[in-house]
Amino acid sequence: MTDRTDGGTDDADGSAPPPPPPASWPPPGSPHEGYPPPPSYPPSAGPGPQAGHPPPPSYPPPGPGAPGSPRGYAGGYGGGAGGYGSGYGYGSGYGYGSGPTVPREVYAGYWPRVGGWLIDAVIVWVVSYIVSIPLRSSHVAELTIRTQTRSVTRVGHFSLLEAVAEIVIVLVYGAVFCGSARGQTPGMMAVGVRAVDRDTGGKIGFVRALWRGAFEYVLFIVLLVPWILDMLFPLWDGRHQTLHDKVSRTVVVRASQFPAPPRR
C-alpha cells in the first residue's frame, strides 16, 4: 500500500479498491430475519415473458373476432352462453329488450281471445246504453227518418250525438286499457291474456292501441265480411294475430307465461 496525496490509499499495482460487499438481507436483528429476500420490481427487461412471471391477462377480454380471441369465443355480457340477456327476461333473448323477444309458445289461444272479446263487448254495450239514455231524451242532433209503405208511414229517430258517444266509448275503452303497461282490458284480464308489442314484448302505448281499436271498429261498421275474416284470422296465422293486430304490430300473449314488467 502507498499513501496518496489526497489522503486515500491505492494498491501497490495502482488498481481501484474492491467494491463494498452487498448488504445482507435481512439486516441483523431485523424482524424479517429468516425470510427470503423480496423479488426485484419491476422485473428486468428482456425479450418475451420473464421467467416465472406469466403475462397478465388482458382486461376486458377480447370480443368475438377481435385479434387474439379464440375461435368461437362468445363470452362477455349480453350474449352467448352464460351472458346476460338469454332466456326470458329483459335482454336480447325473450323479454323486454330489443329484437324479436316474444316466443311462439306464449301466444294466446283463439278461444280465450273470443271469450275476452265477448266480455268486453257486454261491458261496452252496458256503458253505451247508460250514456245514450240522456242523449236520446235531449233530441240534440237527431235525425228523423220516415218510411212510407202502401198504408203505413213509419217515423224513426236517429241521434247523431248518441252514435258519436258510442264510437268514443269503444275506442277510448280499448286504447286506455290495451295501451297501459298491463296491456289488458277487463275481458282480457278475466281470461288471462294481454296485448304487447310484436317485436319487443313491451307495452304498445295509447296511440297504437287507439289505431288498433279503430281499425277493428271500421271493419265491423263499414265492412262486415272483412271483420269476420279479421276475427277468424288467428285460427291459421302463425302468430295468432288478427288483422288489427298486424296493422298495429301487436300480439296477444298468455299473461301467466308473459307477465307485465314490474312497476318501478
Side-chain angles (χ1 to χ4, degrees), residues 212-234:
R212 181 177 184 268
F215 186 86
E216 180 186 6
Y217 194 81
V218 169
L219 291 180
F220 177 72
I221 297 298
V222 181
L223 306 167
L224 182 60
V225 174
W227 175 77
I228 296 175
L229 177 65
D230 173 54
M231 296 298 290
L232 296 176
F233 212 83

Side-chain angles (χ1 to χ4, degrees), residues 36-238:
S40 60
Y41 187 86
S44 58
Q50 300 298 318
H53 297 278
S58 60
Y59 186 83
S69 62
R71 184 185 299 270
Y73 175 78
Y77 301 102
Y84 297 109
S86 59
Y88 301 112
Y90 298 88
S92 59
Y94 299 143
Y96 306 95
S98 60
T101 60
V102 183
R104 296 175 59 89
E105 55 267 23
V106 302
Y107 293 150
Y110 180 73
W111 293 112
R113 294 194 61 173
V114 173
W117 184 90
L118 291 175
I119 295 173
D120 289 330
V122 171
I123 294 174
V124 170
W125 181 84
V126 171
V127 174
S128 299
Y129 181 79
I130 295 174
V131 172
S132 68
I133 293 175
L135 297 178
R136 192 182 302 119
S137 302
S138 66
H139 301 288
V140 176
E142 186 177 70
L143 296 179
T144 301
I145 302 175
R146 297 177 182 271
T147 57
Q148 181 72 40
T149 61
R150 291 182 179 180
S151 58
V152 178
T153 300
R154 293 185 174 87
V155 178
H157 302 282
F158 178 75
S159 174
L160 291 176
L161 193 60
E162 179 185 352
V164 171
E166 180 182 347
I167 294 174
V168 171
I169 290 172
V170 170
L171 297 183
V172 172
Y173 177 88
V176 169
F177 285 111
C178 287
S180 67
R182 294 178 61 94
Q184 293 176 297
T185 61
M188 297 171 79
M189 294 179 193
V191 299
V193 300
R194 52 188 297 261
V196 299
D197 184 273
R198 178 193 65 190
D199 298 324
T200 66
K203 73 174 185 177
I204 62 178
F206 181 84
V207 174
R208 284 172 60 188
L210 182 64
W211 163 237
R212 181 177 184 268
F215 186 86
E216 180 186 6
Y217 194 81
V218 169
L219 291 180
F220 177 72
I221 297 298
V222 181
L223 306 167
L224 182 60
V225 174
W227 175 77
I228 296 175
L229 177 65
D230 173 54
M231 296 298 290
L232 296 176
F233 212 83
L235 288 174
W236 56 79
D237 183 72

